[in-house]
Structures are given as C-alpha cells and as structure tokens.
Amino acid sequence: MAEAQLQLVEITELGTNEKESSIGQASGGTVGQIRKSPTRDYKWWIRTILYSIFLITGQSLATILGRLYFEKGGGSKWLATLAQIGGFPVVIPLYCFILCRKLVPDDDTGSDSPPLWVAFVKVYVPLGLLVAGSSFLFSVGLQYLPVSTVTLISASQLAFNAFFSYFLNSQKFTAAIINSLVLLTISSVLLVVNNHTDKPSGVSKAKYAAGFVCTVGGAALYGLLLASQQLAIRKVLKKQTLKVVFDVIIYQSLVASIAVVVGLLASGESKGLRKEMSEYSLGKVSYVMTLLWTAIGWQVFAIGTVGLIFEVSSLYSISVGTVGLPIVPVLAVFVFHDKMDGIKGMSMVLAIWGFVSYIYQHYLDHKKSKMENRIASEIGDEDCLHASDNRA
C-alpha cells in the first residue's frame, strides 16, 4: 500500500507547487515564496528518524508475520488478505489530527470535484477492488513461496507501474526507467530459474508455480492501481491536496475490506476459522496476535510513509523504503531458514539497482519541477516590479 500512498502524495506535491507558483505570479511573487523548508533542529531529526523506523519496521514486521501465519498452520487466504488491508481505521485518528491542526490545505473552491457518491462509483470502488485483488494474490504468494522470493518478485510492481502509466498517464520511458524495467525483469527471471532449490518443503511444483504466477499477478495489479490512482486524482477528483490523498487511502481500503469479507464468507473459509485457530501450532492467542500485528504493521508502515512525506519529501520516503528492501529476505533466513544462495543474492542486487534507477528518475523529475516553479516565481516577481515602476 505504501507505494500507492507515495504515488498519491507525489501528485499532491506537484499540484501544490504548481498552485503556489501561479498564485505567486498573480500576487507579485510573494505568496509563491511562503512555502519554506522546515528548520532542521533536533526535534526535526528525532521525528524523521522515528518515521523512518516506523516505515522500515512496519514493512518488515507485516511481511514476516504474513508468512508466519501460513507457516504455523494458517490456511485462509481471505483472512490473510483482510489482515493486510483491514487495519485502515488506525489511520483515521491521524487523519482527524491533521485536519484539526490544519496541516492539510483547504480544498480548492474553484475545482470541479464530483459528489461523494460519484467519487465512490468512479474512483473508490474500482481502486478498492484493485487493492483487494492484488492483496489476495500477494497472500497466495506468501502461502506457497518463501517470503524472500515474494519480496523480490513484488519489486516488479514498479515496472508494471511504468508500463501502465505509459498508456494511462503518458509516462515517458527515459533511460533510467528502461534500465529499471530491464533490471527488475531479469531479477524475477532469475527466481524462476532458481525454483528447484527455492521450493519450500511440503509445497508441490504446481503450488509453487501458482504462488509465483499469483505474486507476479499481484505486482501487476498493484502497478495498475498506482497508475489508476494518478489518473483518478487528476481527471476525476480534480483536487490535489493531502485531504484527497487520505480520502482515497481510507475509502479504497474500506471498499477493499468489504470485498474481502464477502470473499471470505462466499468461499466458505470462515466456517473453518475456529478449527484453524484451535490447531494453530503457536496457540490461539498467538493466532489472533499474528493477524492483529500484521494489520497494525501495515498501518505503522503507512504512518511512517506519510510522516516522512510531511517532514521531508516523498522522494526521501521512497528512498527509505528502498533501503529497507533487503531486510525482509535477510530476516527470512533467520526466522524461516530461507535459502540465500548466489542466484537469489544476485536477484536482490538487481532488484535494489532497479529501485535506485527508478528513484533516480523521480529525483530528476522532482528537481525539474522545482526549477520550473522557481523560474515561474522569479518571472512573477519581475513582472510585479516592472508594473510598480510603470505606475510610478
């Protein structure tokens, strides 16, 4: 979910910068200069470090616990999926706090945003179904594949995002993006070649193949989700504020949770949950706590993501997530005794390289956007100065 949140906030940052630049031109360039970097005192460093810990710890904890559920006797894919997305109410107090503290800019009164029911039909329901689908496929992957393999395959969601963004959002294929696509593709192909040594005990070749295909499919759906979020905010919601970001995150998670609960009831898996809990090898309490902390872990991850965006930037938040990429495979070696051979190590290096290449392109785009906004603001100041001289 975090990549989707980063994508949303990147859109918001670009929209806010463009808005401030245009206001600055209209009012003599003064308003465009209001937004300044926060003073980086020790409190800022403490908050930034804390949010970074939240992001990395939440991601690692939730992924490891998601695999632990299946490792110790859990078998409900729908329940595991619900644990991934059903903890969104944890974010609501943060949302209310931000609104009360007026940390979120007021909505654009002049924007032609749709009514809530229209937004639900056109945006939140489709996005929620994509979230539910990708999360379910990810759960299948966690059930049949080593967690380290699932993590590395999931990195390909950036490649799918670039692919879908090319058609939906006119994404340009720069050298850095193409490099990222190639590296992430090779990384996944290496895992396919390595399947004879990577298959967990008790998992047949058919189930391993199903887990691999589902994980790739989940990454593809998540890439489509990211591109669709960008399209929805710009073309349907027509507002680029952080309030809209939280609205999309909360409402799409609500829709996804309802869809997963329906799937849980329709599949019949809900009837066996009591038996599954009693037969869980770590005990009933551990069964509940595993699912509970999985849900909390993903929301801690979300809070860390949003917090870093507030304190620093979305680019920094993506960078921290990239640094945390190798942590899950390393932890899996100790927790689940996953094999970390040369091919998987090479796959990890290529995945990180692909991430870095993708981030570098975002850095170039962010730098270009800031430069354009600064030039536009300076032009506004000069126009205001010339107008004052003419009046004099």
Side-chain angles (χ1 to χ4, degrees):
M1 296 291 292
E3 284 81 3
Q5 295 166 10
L6 294 175
Q7 185 87 9
L8 288 172
V9 181
E10 283 172 356
I11 300 169
T12 303
E13 286 183 343
L14 292 175
T16 304
N17 289 338
E18 293 172 357
K19 184 197 307 180
E20 289 174 349
S21 175
S22 62
I23 294 176
Q25 294 179 34
S27 59
T30 57
V31 179
Q33 304 296 331
I34 291 177
R35 193 180 183 188
K36 297 180 180 180
S37 300
T39 303
R40 298 190 174 183
D41 55 7
Y42 73 95
K43 293 182 180 179
W44 180 88
W45 283 106
I46 291 175
R47 291 193 301 270
T48 301
I49 293 173
L50 184 63
Y51 287 135
S52 299
I53 294 174
F54 280 1
L55 191 154
I56 295 175
T57 303
Q59 173 181 276
S60 304
L61 175 67
T63 305
I64 291 294
L65 289 178
R67 174 56 189 168
L68 182 67
Y69 166 75
F70 292 111
E71 185 79 12
K72 299 303 179 180
S76 175
K77 304 177 186 67
W78 288 106
L79 185 60
T81 303
L82 185 61
Q84 293 180 43
I85 58 182
F88 70 92
V90 176
V91 182
I92 295 178
L94 175 63
Y95 178 42
C96 296
F97 171 78
I98 292 173
L99 289 178
C100 293
R101 293 289 299 272
K102 297 183 179 180
L103 298 176
V104 177
D106 295 333
D107 293 343
D108 302 329
T109 56
S111 61
D112 187 21
S113 58
L116 181 59
W117 71 271
V118 175
F120 252 99
V121 173
K122 291 186 176 181
V123 178
Y124 303 137
V125 171
L127 294 182
L129 294 178
L130 285 175
V131 170
S134 63
S135 299
F136 177 78
L137 293 175
F138 181 70
S139 295
V140 176
L142 280 177
Q143 185 175 18
Y144 297 138
L145 301 179
V147 66
S148 55
T149 302
V150 173
T151 303
L152 294 175
I153 296 176
S154 298
S156 62
Q157 64 194 19
L158 290 179
F160 286 112
N161 175 35
F163 174 78
F164 289 118
S165 293
Y166 175 79
F167 296 100
L168 297 180
N169 303 305
S170 301
Q171 168 77 50
K172 295 181 180 179
F173 277 158
T174 63
I177 293 294
I178 294 175
N179 183 59
S180 176
L181 296 178
V182 172
L183 291 172
L184 292 173
T185 302
I186 296 176
S187 175
S188 297
V189 171
L190 286 176
L191 295 177
V192 176
V193 176
N194 197 42
N195 63 2
H196 64 285
T197 60
D198 193 41
K199 186 169 64 65
S201 59
V203 176
S204 65
K205 291 184 178 180
K207 288 183 177 180
Y208 184 93
F212 192 95
V213 171
C214 286
T215 305
V216 174
L221 281 183
Y222 208 80
L224 177 60
L225 171 67
L226 300 181
S228 299
Q229 284 177 335
Q230 181 177 352
L231 179 67
I233 285 184
R234 289 179 173 172
K235 300 297 184 180
V236 181
L237 299 180
K238 298 180 180 180
K239 289 184 180 180
Q240 297 177 345
T241 65
L242 287 177
K243 180 182 181 302
V244 173
V245 173
F246 276 95
D247 286 343
V248 173
I249 292 173
I250 292 173
Y251 288 135
Q252 76 178 15
S253 298
L254 174 62
V255 173
S257 298
I258 294 174
V260 172
V261 169
V262 172
L264 178 63
L265 297 175
S267 66
E269 290 185 357
S270 58
K271 299 177 182 179
L273 293 182
R274 187 180 298 274
K275 180 181 178 182
E276 179 180 287
M277 181 187 300
S278 62
E279 295 178 352
Y280 196 66
S281 61
L282 298 179
K284 295 182 179 180
V285 176
S286 296
Y287 178 86
V288 175
M289 296 304 292
T290 298
L291 294 171
L292 176 63
W293 282 103
T294 299
I296 293 176
W298 284 121
Q299 300 313 311
V300 169
F301 177 79
I303 292 172
T305 299
V306 176
L308 285 179
I309 292 166
F310 274 121
E311 297 294 342
V312 192
S313 68
S314 60
L315 181 63
Y316 181 79
S317 189
I318 296 176
S319 302
V320 173
T322 303
V323 171
L325 176 64
I327 293 180
V328 173
V330 172
L331 287 177
V333 173
F334 297 98
V335 178
F336 304 115
H337 306 290
D338 283 6
K339 296 179 181 179
M340 183 59 70
D341 52 21
I343 294 181
K344 186 176 288 187
M346 186 180 300
S347 176
M348 181 187 298
V349 172
L350 291 175
I352 295 174
W353 189 0
F355 260 111
V356 171
S357 181
Y358 193 87
I359 291 172
Y360 179 69
Q361 183 59 52
H362 277 278
Y363 166 76
L364 294 179
D365 294 340
H366 185 70
K367 185 177 180 180
K368 180 181 178 181
S369 176
K370 289 179 64 177
M371 183 176 297
E372 291 176 349
N373 291 330
R374 185 170 63 252
I375 293 175
S377 179
E378 291 175 354
I379 292 176
D381 290 339
E382 292 178 359
D383 291 342
C384 181
L385 181 61
H386 291 324
S388 300
D389 292 340
N390 292 335
R391 286 196 298 269

